[in-house]
């Protein structure tokens, strides 16, 4: 058989990669939990009817669909088979798809389990999602989303809380970021004020979302396609530069919705004034976020020291569960991009000092009796919470040391006849190569102390 | 739209279920790590050629296959379409499948990444797998496996180590178990001794595996189908009752393979005599384990206080990667059944005292100023590692208390004008209903202490 491969757009995580990613997940999870969010999990497979139509036409194409089991052709749409109509055939041979994000499954979950939940329902989820996107550098067909959402409350305290969570996570991970805040109602107010028709609001949001990618001139040009004069376009772009809500108020004086949006932002900022943030938070009216379901505050996080685009975002959506027949349930949530966070941390060398994924000690033995001794000692150390590996046989010492030196261990503990006789263990620090003797009784305490100090 | 559903055989994990399962995973993972195993992760999707043919004909049928994206019919096998031959059509419209277990992906991983690994390679994986089995009570189409394996060493120390891991995990989880140990070489030796032909060995293993399900008489009857006389069958069954290796030795005196198996078990037991086990370990020659790839020691774990069958098992397979073209790489590993462990713990009421998944405190407020105060206090407590939820608005106190009492919190901290003036916080223990006053400065220490004590 030829050498095996994995599907395009997927990847394996080697031990050091896995450990780094776990470090990110654990940091994020700990903060979610500290803010009172509960974990839930939904299955990887959802029925296709749950997924289809929720992500636009493009999204539907990117869903991974699962073939029905058994003799699926016997129940296939005969006409679609005869006309080779893939699109029509699919629903008759595939009932399930892989989840595309964590938001639609959350909405489905809330509707199905409403009797078991009390609102507001605060949940986090850290799970992979799958999209049949064309693979490219940094873009995979399987990737993790880390989401935290509140369902069933209009309180703007949650917007403030979610901003605190962003702030804490990136502070904890040592990634300097700037957090940008806006409100869809303000954007709607601006559109209203400048006479952009309701049906053009989506297009308007998409255009201004491009402000950090294309030139202001080009954005202006695109705005005129929405029946805006050059002058109004210029004026509108000036409005978008406003970062002070006091200044914005008179501009939107005629828009009730716009003023409501300003009020919401003000209330969120009032909350946040009560506790200090580690990172800069600024009002940015050019932030639009493409997703059409946002209706209130929107937020986005950018790493300030690396060119990588957004590494987190979210907002409020007033009708989370309407699509599943349950109206009037508001949601607000944020999502952290674990893969990009990983890349930023690599680029900033932030993993280096963390000694992630290392086993505390590997025990090497010079003779048969020492190997037995090692097995015994290993058991004792593990009972004292030390992580221990034992070289499994009496290979040449050089070979054992090579294995020990592959970067997976903090210390090597070397046992020979002398060590057994004296009870003084030889400990080699595998990071700096230094060596010292530690009394048998002290080994666990010594190693636990070293690990604590490295944290 | 009608109420949404999830696919047959899959399930959602509600917060309390998720928290319990995480508790099991964390306990298992901590022990894996303490024994020096590294986590890896492979993608949910593998290419179908990697999966097909590895699990027998039945297994192939249970693979979930993913439809190729785009216009898959344009590349479909025309002849298979015309003759409605599902079996022949599938490879032409599906290139990927969901992983069925964690062992085949491990073998594929080792072959692909050999240059980045040093042998012996000790890895753990805790990931879901998917099988299109007919759903029934306790059997799902998506479930987690917790696997730990060593690749690339023949040392029997690892057999001993894996038994220690079983022992530790179940001890830590408070599940009383018995561990059964056997060796495939001994079974082969017994087959040889009683004149069972090589090509019948698989059938032989399957028959004796039934000894705990069907009567001894029926097993004897089935053995005669392998050209064994009634007398030999009776004799063979008597041999299988032997639990003492000394006693077995003369029986297998003529089988080199059988004696090798005895020697291997003896060496494993020699290791284990060096450190005490918490649970009973016994030699059980009727243990066969169906999977054909085992070649050495095999082990199985049974809960002793609950009727549920095996809750863990594993063994040595001498040719892990041969199927991917890499010969001579031995593996040994065990797998823990998380779903069954969960069920056993529920049945034994073992989750009850763990206070799993609870937030330390929820802060309730009686007036606007207190709500602001709560938001501020929440920030401070979280900075001291306390997990905090804050009721998001000024709902009636009864409503707030109802929310607090839903079982997700240990304490409610109630703030009104009086509390703000005195700095003495009212803390309600939500488990026993008792109430006390705690000085503002002491709240974090108080809560951290309560949590520590409950562990």
């Amino acid at each position: 058989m030829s050498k095996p491969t994995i599907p395009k757009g997927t990847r394996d995580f080697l031990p050091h990669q896995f450990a780094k990613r776990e470090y990110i997940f654990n940091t994020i999870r700990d903060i979610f939990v500290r803010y009172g969010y509960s974990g839930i999990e939904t299955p990887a497979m959802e029925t296709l009817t749950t997924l289809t139509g929720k992500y636009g036409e493009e999204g539907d194409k990117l869903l991974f669909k699962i073939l029905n089991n058994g003799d699926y052709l016997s129940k296939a749409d005969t006409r679609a088979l005869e006309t080779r109509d893939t699109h029509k055939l699919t629903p008759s041979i595939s009932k399930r798809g892989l989840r595309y994000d964590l938001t639609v499954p959350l909405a489905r979950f809330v509707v199905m389990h409403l009797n078991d939940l009390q609102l507001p329902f605060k949940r986090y989820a850290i799970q992979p999602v799958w999209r049949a996107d064309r693979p490219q550098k940094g873009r995979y067909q399987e990737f993790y989303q880390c989401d935290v959402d509140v369902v069933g409350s209009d309180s703007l305290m949650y917007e403030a809380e979610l901003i605190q969570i962003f702030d804490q996570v990136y502070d904890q991970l040592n990634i300097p970021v700037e957090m940008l805040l806006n409100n869809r109602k303000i954007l709607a107010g601006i559109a209203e004020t400048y006479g952009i028709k309701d049906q053009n609001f989506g297009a308007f949001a998409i255009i201004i979302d491009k402000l950090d990618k294309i030139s202001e001139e080009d954005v202006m040009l695109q705005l005129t396609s929405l029946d805006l004069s050059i002058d109004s376009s210029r004026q509108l772009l000036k409005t978008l530069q406003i970062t002070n809500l006091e200044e914005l108020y008179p501009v939107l004086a005629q828009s009730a919705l716009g003023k409501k949006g300003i009020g919401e932002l003000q209330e969120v900022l009032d909350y946040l004034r009560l506790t200090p943030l580690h990172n800069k938070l600024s009002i940015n009216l050019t932030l639009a976020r493409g997703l059409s379901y946002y209706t209130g505050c929107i937020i986005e996080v950018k790493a300030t020291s690396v060119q990588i685009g957004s590494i987190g975002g979210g907002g409020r959506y007033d009708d989370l569960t309407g699509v599943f027949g349950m109206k009037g349930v508001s949601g607000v949530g944020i999502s952290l991009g674990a893969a990009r966070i990983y890349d930023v941390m690599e680029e900033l060398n932030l993993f280096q000092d963390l000694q992630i994924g290392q086993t505390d000690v590997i025990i090497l033995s010079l003779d048969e009796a020492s190997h037995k001794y090692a097995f015994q000692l290993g058991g004792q150390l593990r009972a004292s919470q030390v992580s221990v590996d034992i070289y499994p046989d009496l290979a040449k010492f050089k070979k054992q040391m090579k294995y020990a030196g592959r970067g997976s261990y903090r210390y090597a503990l070397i046992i020979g006849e002398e060590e057994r006789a004296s009870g003084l263990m030889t400990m080699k620090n595998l990071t700096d190569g230094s060596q010292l003797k530690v009394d048998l009784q002290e080994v666990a305490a010594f190693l636990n102390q070293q690990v604590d100090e490295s944290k």
Side-chain angles (χ1 to χ4, degrees), chain A residues 206-245:
Chain A
I206 289 170
I207 292 171
I208 67 169
D209 236 0
K210 295 179 187 161
L211 267 172
D212 56 351
K213 289 179 203 100
I214 63 177
S215 76
E216 215 167 286
E217 281 305 309
D218 287 340
V219 170
M220 254 171 58
L221 216 67
Q222 296 195 12
L223 283 176
T224 57
S225 75
L226 307 178
D227 293 335
L228 236 59
S229 69
I230 286 280
D231 241 32
S232 297
S233 295
R234 187 166 292 127
Q235 206 53 42
L236 192 157
L237 283 182
K238 250 178 104 176
T239 299
L240 293 179
Q241 301 311 320
I242 294 175
T243 57
N244 181 324
L245 294 179

Side-chain angles (χ1 to χ4, degrees), chain A residues 74-91:
Chain A
S74 69
K75 289 178 186 164
D77 181 327
T78 326
R79 181 124 181 78
L81 271 180
E82 275 157 13
T83 57
R84 301 282 191 273
D85 186 337
T86 300
H87 189 70
K88 257 191 86 183
L89 178 68
T90 303

Side-chain angles (χ1 to χ4, degrees), chain A residues 366-367 370 415-426 437:
Chain A
L366 303 179
D367 55 76
S370 298
I415 306 183
E417 210 176 322
E418 195 188 307
E419 280 78 7
R420 280 185 287 124
S422 68
L424 280 178
M425 300 294 122
T426 303
K437 297 266 183 188

Side-chain angles (χ1 to χ4, degrees), chain A residues 57-198:
Chain A
E57 214 173 304
E58 269 314 299
D60 281 353
K61 283 186 195 151
L62 301 182
L63 293 172
F64 280 110
K65 298 165 194 84
I66 293 161
L67 259 176
N68 294 343
N69 277 81
D71 185 13
Y72 56 85
L73 275 183
S74 69
K75 289 178 186 164
D77 181 327
T78 326
R79 181 124 181 78
L81 271 180
E82 275 157 13
T83 57
R84 301 282 191 273
D85 186 337
T86 300
H87 189 70
K88 257 191 86 183
L89 178 68
T90 303
S92 72
I93 63 170
S94 167
K95 281 201 185 67
R96 303 166 168 210
L98 295 180
R99 74 173 156 255
Y100 180 90
D101 73 356
L102 303 179
T103 306
V104 167
L106 169 64
R108 196 265 308 143
F109 178 97
V110 168
V111 173
M112 274 182 70
H113 301 287
L114 197 61
N115 288 338
D116 296 316
L117 306 173
Q118 242 179 314
L119 303 185
F121 174 52
K122 298 174 74 173
R123 90 86 178 77
Y124 75 82
I126 298 179
Q127 291 194 266
V129 301
W130 294 271
R131 298 180 185 179
D133 257 319
R134 188 180 299 276
Q136 58 184 55
K137 191 179 177 307
R139 195 206 272 163
Y140 299 95
Q141 298 197 338
E142 169 177 282
F143 57 96
Y144 274 77
Q145 291 194 328
C146 310
D147 277 22
V148 60
D149 290 80
V150 186
V151 180
S153 166
D154 295 325
S155 170
L156 292 156
M157 183 192 82
Y158 290 122
E159 272 82 341
E161 186 170 289
L162 293 167
I163 289 168
Q164 288 183 315
I165 288 177
F166 266 144
D167 183 57
Q168 293 258 330
V169 165
Y170 294 111
D171 181 61
Q172 195 84 41
L173 294 173
N174 271 317
I175 303 175
V177 297
E178 183 176 359
M179 300 181 285
L180 310 178
L181 185 61
N182 196 6
N183 191 301
R184 282 285 195 136
K185 294 188 181 81
I186 290 178
L187 287 178
I190 291 173
E192 191 184 345
T193 301
Y194 285 92
I196 293 170
K197 293 196 193 86
D198 276 2

